[in-house]
Amino acid sequence: MFLQARALALGLVFAPWALCDDSIIIRDVAIVGGGASGTFAAVSLRDQGKSIILIEKEPVLGGHTNTYQDPLTKQNVDYGVQVFHDQQFVKDFFDRLNVSWTVALPSFTSSATPQYLDPKTAKPVNYILPDITTALQAYAQHLSQYPDVEQGFFLPDPVPKDLLLPFGEFIKKYPEIANASFTIANFGQGLGDHLKQPTLYVFKNFGTDIIRDIANGFLVTTNQNNYEVYDHATQLLGQDVLLNSTVVSTTKRDSDGVEFTVRTPTGYQKVKAKKLLITIPPTLDNLRPFNLNRLESTIFSKFMSTGYYTSLVNNTGLPPNFTSYSASPDTQQNIPKLPGVYLVTGTAIDGIFDIKYGSPSPLPDKDVQHEILSYVTKLQDNGIAEKVPGSPEFVAYKSHVPFELTVSRDEIENGFYLDLYSLQGYLNTWYTGAAFHTQDSSMLWNFTRSYVLPGLLG
């Protein structure tokens, strides 16, 4: 893909000071993870006079921001992160990176009326999307009772019972929001079993600001290329980025600073920093190289995760303006039963369709890919798509695993997020990323600038 080529052309995969075996990278802050949070933190810290090193395992920055460029037409398709919040701090970040932006109303479907199909059989389901206006207003009134939840996991003590209710039970208790629940679930893809998740996580995924942006417009890149944000950030940060690199072991992480070893494309590199910022999903496997102590391990071991997968598929036989949403025939409010396909929709590239797939728990990529292509075949068998020569095939595919890190209702009630947030600054280590707030680039930028950067700048 053009992103990898772009990174190689910039010479950022092979930083010159990484070629010396006996050299040590010394920085104010070492950042592990170059997704939305890590990239934002790196640019912000550099702008405020801190020296940084940003370590990313992929060949490009951007995390869940996935962009495909057609080799013939050069048309871009964002098949990961789609939109951003219309907030001043987002505009400021785009302006800092010289990324042109505009505000646009959401266009998550094609001009054609969407079909509603069973996520398992790809057969039509007798479902008509209701008018959600009144229900969405009622939902917003519930959100307004917990304004701090929009900023992070800042929960009242004791935690209100409504936030702990499985979302399916919340709908039964407050039937006035029922007509909006299908839309909420489809917008907040990746939560797994939406009806069983504590309502807290639904509120986090579909909050007040999203409702406002649905009405007034989201921020989008003018060039319809969201990777432009991270391409420009990569150029700005230059040799302070280590791509294709991972932390393999830590020799020190205490009140005096951190020291660890990074595997890079050119060999192993030692890093010393006053402070460490971890932005990768805080699973025990991901954090193993940092030698967690018992306190940290106990907290992070409580996370569960879902699976979310995004792909671009061609040779489908689908008409150009086709869009389908999954609706299960036998579930509450027809919310899709997973694992299964969420959405099939056309893209700006002729013949290529965006297909999203979700699961309550992570699945092997080969199984997900098989299910996605099998679903397209079912569309053909059901007469929804034409049978065409050859088989459907992937143009692009990305696994966003682990996606949604959550904990049980009991853990939430017993103060898990107080324990989690108490780790900020512990052993000179800070954290940000979706597990500390929500799966939303804009909201993560706000959380990072408001609640994490002050500790790193102090």
Side-chain angles (χ1 to χ4, degrees):
M1 289 173 62
F2 81 107
L3 306 182
Q4 287 89 333
R6 176 64 171 164
L8 286 166
L10 290 169
L12 293 167
V13 175
F14 307 104
W17 33 256
L19 297 174
C20 302
D21 292 337
D22 58 350
S23 68
I24 299 176
I25 301 172
I26 301 175
R27 296 290 191 272
D28 291 322
V29 182
I31 304 168
V32 178
S37 303
T39 302
F40 180 85
V43 172
S44 300
L45 289 167
R46 271 265 301 259
D47 284 350
Q48 298 192 59
K50 296 294 183 181
S51 60
I52 61 97
I53 186 71
L54 177 58
I55 300 153
E56 168 55 43
K57 70 175 182 178
E58 299 291 338
V60 293
L61 300 180
H64 293 168
T65 301
N66 309 128
T67 304
Y68 171 80
Q69 185 179 78
D70 183 76
L72 296 178
T73 66
K74 305 304 179 184
Q75 175 70 51
N76 297 315
V77 171
D78 291 311
Y79 65 105
V81 174
Q82 299 287 312
V83 293
F84 304 89
H85 290 254
D86 181 14
Q87 292 276 14
Q88 189 59 48
F89 66 86
V90 180
K91 297 174 182 177
D92 291 343
F93 187 46
F94 280 22
D95 290 344
R96 172 67 182 92
L97 296 175
N98 195 29
V99 172
S100 179
W101 53 266
T102 187
V103 176
L105 289 171
S107 56
F108 301 120
T109 66
S110 68
S111 57
T113 300
Q115 297 191 36
Y116 295 94
L117 306 178
D118 189 311
K120 305 297 183 184
T121 66
K123 293 181 178 180
V125 174
N126 184 20
Y127 177 78
I128 299 174
L129 185 69
D131 184 346
I132 67 171
T133 305
T134 301
L136 208 54
Q137 290 172 350
Y139 177 81
Q141 289 177 354
H142 286 284
L143 288 175
S144 68
Q145 298 178 44
Y146 315 104
D148 291 343
V149 169
E150 185 88 353
Q151 306 303 316
F153 284 103
F154 303 116
L155 305 175
D157 184 17
V159 179
K161 297 297 183 183
D162 278 354
L163 295 181
L164 300 174
L165 280 179
F167 190 56
E169 295 299 318
F170 187 83
I171 296 169
K172 291 178 181 178
K173 184 176 179 180
Y174 301 105
E176 65 272 17
I177 74 165
N179 280 352
S181 58
F182 185 88
T183 298
I184 291 168
N186 272 276
F187 191 95
Q189 293 175 10
L191 260 183
D193 192 334
H194 225 89
L195 295 169
K196 291 184 179 179
Q197 286 283 13
T199 296
L200 169 65
Y201 294 121
V202 178
F203 281 10
K204 296 289 295 176
N205 272 32
F206 195 91
T208 303
D209 205 56
I210 286 177
I211 295 174
R212 181 182 64 84
D213 286 339
I214 287 175
N216 300 323
F218 287 87
L219 205 70
V220 297
T221 56
T222 304
N223 293 332
Q224 298 180 320
N225 174 9
N226 289 341
Y227 182 72
E228 188 177 18
V229 175
Y230 298 95
D231 184 20
H232 289 196
T234 303
Q235 296 178 63
L236 174 69
L237 296 171
Q239 294 179 355
D240 286 334
V241 178
L242 286 177
L243 297 172
N244 290 312
S245 301
T246 56
V247 177
V248 294
S249 64
T250 299
T251 54
K252 176 181 178 180
R253 191 165 59 88
D254 57 29
S255 59
D256 293 326
V258 297
E259 296 179 13
F260 55 83
T261 300
V262 181
R263 183 190 293 115
T264 77
T266 58
Y268 292 92
Q269 181 72 54
K270 290 188 178 295
V271 174
K272 290 185 178 181
K274 297 175 184 177
K275 297 179 180 181
L276 171 65
L277 174 61
I278 295 176
T279 75
I280 58 177
T283 64
L284 290 181
D285 281 346
N286 282 348
L287 299 180
R288 187 166 288 113
F290 298 99
N291 296 337
L292 302 182
N293 61 27
R294 180 174 296 181
L295 170 65
E296 296 167 313
S297 296
T298 298
I299 293 173
F300 291 126
S301 68
K302 295 175 181 178
F303 277 124
M304 304 172 287
S305 67
T306 66
Y308 187 60
Y309 313 83
T310 182
S311 66
L312 298 177
V313 181
N314 67 4
N315 209 38
T316 64
L318 290 166
N321 61 350
F322 177 83
T323 292
S324 70
Y325 289 100
S326 289
S328 292
D330 56 353
T331 60
Q332 189 178 352
Q333 303 301 318
N334 298 102
I335 289 174
K337 184 183 295 183
L338 302 177
V341 167
Y342 276 115
L343 168 74
V344 180
T345 187
T347 70
I349 303 175
D350 185 40
I352 293 180
F353 286 80
D354 188 345
I355 303 181
K356 300 290 194 290
Y357 189 96
S359 172
S361 59
L363 298 173
D365 284 342
K366 63 180 180 60
D367 292 348
V368 175
Q369 292 170 347
H370 172 75
E371 289 299 316
I372 290 174
L373 297 182
S374 294
Y375 187 83
V376 176
T377 301
K378 292 174 184 176
L379 291 173
Q380 296 174 349
D381 292 341
N382 295 337
I384 296 170
E386 293 184 4
K387 290 186 179 291
V388 293
S391 301
E393 59 183 5
F394 290 103
V395 172
Y397 169 88
K398 276 292 183 180
S399 169
H400 293 176
V401 170
F403 190 69
E404 189 79 30
L405 267 62
T406 62
V407 296
S408 69
R409 295 166 57 191
D410 287 345
E411 290 295 344
I412 298 171
E413 187 173 24
N414 292 333
F416 171 82
Y417 285 103
L418 289 174
D419 294 339
L420 183 70
Y421 280 13
S422 73
L423 293 179
Q424 295 287 19
Y426 179 61
L427 300 179
N428 263 318
T429 304
W430 279 257
Y431 300 89
T432 186
F436 285 77
H437 189 10
T438 186
Q439 292 282 357
D440 185 310
S441 299
S442 305
M443 295 290 96
L444 287 174
W445 294 342
N446 188 46
F447 177 81
T448 301
R449 76 187 183 103
S450 300
Y451 303 106
V452 181
L453 291 184
L456 295 169
L457 291 167

